[in-house]
Amino acid sequence: MPMTRIKRRHPEDGGYARGEETRARIITTALRVFGEAGFNEASTRQIAADAGVNPPALQYYFGGKEGLHRACAQFIIDRMLSIVSPALTRAREIKRPAQRAQAVDALCALLDAMADGLVAAGSESWGRFIMRGKADGAGPAMGMLRQNIGQPIMQAVAQLIAVVTDREVADEITRIKAAAILGQVTTFHTNRESTMEALKWPDFDAHRLQMIKTVIRGHTRAILDAGPHRGAGAPRPRARAPARARPGARLRPRSSGESS
């Protein structure tokens, strides 16, 4: 009689199966180690030891160091998208110039959602991981983060700015404004420790988060209101100088009715 393979099931109380708990623990540990040492210098043996597993477990769950780096990136992507997806979806729906006021509100809501990531569980290790990845430029994670978080958000922000300013999405001024506006939030994520030190804050709490949102909203509206919308930043045409008489040209004598 053939044996029936029993599928592994989640416990009925909603907890994780043991293998999934182990995988999650390895990712949490790897985020910290990669954030501290970088992809090239991080030791898989150290990650395994700190996670309380044998080194072969990393190969089993992730296929090696690069696979673990990708898993860390996917973990951040999943968490960030769970926070910003509603605001990102709303932002993508606004495309007509007639929706200028809605575009400003949608942009501020998207920036608020990004700021909410500062108080999400584990966000401290995400920031270190991303900051170290940008500095080193090593490993596959940064490409994944750009493709799945950075570029979609940048595109949505540029689209909203184009609606507000009546410019093209691909216009350089539009893209510069998008980068400047997004930088207000991303600096808190990627420069978390130095920012808190400068502000003399021990952490980000609800009150401090609201202050950050209020300032960013004010700055964003000021950036969008600055200068004329269409063609802002383009050189203005020079005023024409009054015509001069050519050398040697005879001046027409004034008639008695002309004023001087």
Side-chain angles (χ1 to χ4, degrees):
M1 186 175 180
M3 293 181 62
T4 303
R5 181 173 294 177
I6 300 173
K7 294 182 180 180
R8 187 178 64 177
R9 300 171 120 184
H10 295 296
E12 292 184 2
D13 62 2
Y16 290 103
R18 186 173 179 182
E20 291 171 331
E21 289 178 342
T22 302
R23 189 177 188 278
R25 189 168 69 250
I26 294 171
I27 289 174
T28 300
T29 304
L31 281 166
R32 175 180 58 78
V33 176
F34 281 132
E36 292 172 352
F39 177 77
N40 289 331
E41 299 300 321
S43 164
T44 53
R45 286 187 175 275
Q46 179 190 347
I47 294 171
D50 290 357
V53 299
N54 295 322
L58 272 63
Q59 186 71 29
Y60 173 77
Y61 285 107
F62 306 102
K65 190 175 183 179
E66 284 200 2
L68 179 55
H69 207 237
R70 289 191 187 93
C72 288
Q74 191 61 53
F75 179 87
I76 296 172
I77 291 165
D78 292 343
R79 297 306 181 278
M80 279 301 297
L81 288 181
S82 71
I83 296 169
V84 305
S85 279
L88 188 57
T89 299
R90 172 61 182 145
R92 287 169 171 163
E93 293 171 349
I94 298 174
K95 296 180 180 179
R96 296 191 301 275
Q99 295 178 300
R100 192 165 285 147
Q102 294 95 318
V104 175
D105 291 341
L107 176 54
C108 289
L110 180 55
L111 296 172
D112 281 355
M114 293 176 65
D116 285 336
L118 291 168
V119 295
S123 60
E124 208 168 329
S125 63
W126 310 349
R128 288 199 195 99
F129 180 91
I130 295 171
M131 183 172 63
R132 190 58 189 251
K134 286 181 176 180
D136 294 348
M142 298 315 297
M144 291 177 63
L145 291 167
R146 280 192 296 270
Q147 183 177 352
N148 292 280
I149 298 178
Q151 292 174 3
I153 290 177
M154 177 71 172
Q155 183 64 23
V157 170
Q159 176 66 50
L160 292 172
I161 292 171
V163 171
V164 175
T165 61
D166 196 21
R167 301 181 72 99
E168 297 298 324
V169 177
D171 186 277
E172 283 189 338
I173 297 298
T174 301
R175 310 297 286 185
I176 290 170
K177 286 189 175 185
I181 286 171
L182 281 172
Q184 299 177 99
V185 185
T186 57
T187 190
F188 285 97
H189 283 281
T190 57
N191 299 307
R192 184 185 186 110
E193 292 177 358
S194 58
T195 301
M196 287 196 297
E197 183 178 350
L199 294 172
K200 302 187 185 308
W201 287 354
D203 53 25
F204 292 115
D205 59 18
H207 174 65
R208 295 175 184 129
L209 180 64
Q210 187 55 51
M211 284 196 292
I212 290 170
K213 289 180 179 181
T214 299
V215 170
I216 289 175
R217 278 174 169 261
H219 286 181
T220 298
R221 292 179 183 276
I223 291 171
L224 295 176
D225 290 340
H229 293 325
R230 181 177 291 280
R236 295 182 179 180
R238 294 182 179 179
R240 292 184 178 180
R244 294 182 179 179
R246 294 191 305 274
R250 296 179 62 185
L251 297 175
R252 181 175 63 84
R254 289 178 183 162
S255 64
S256 58
E258 290 179 342
S259 60
S260 57

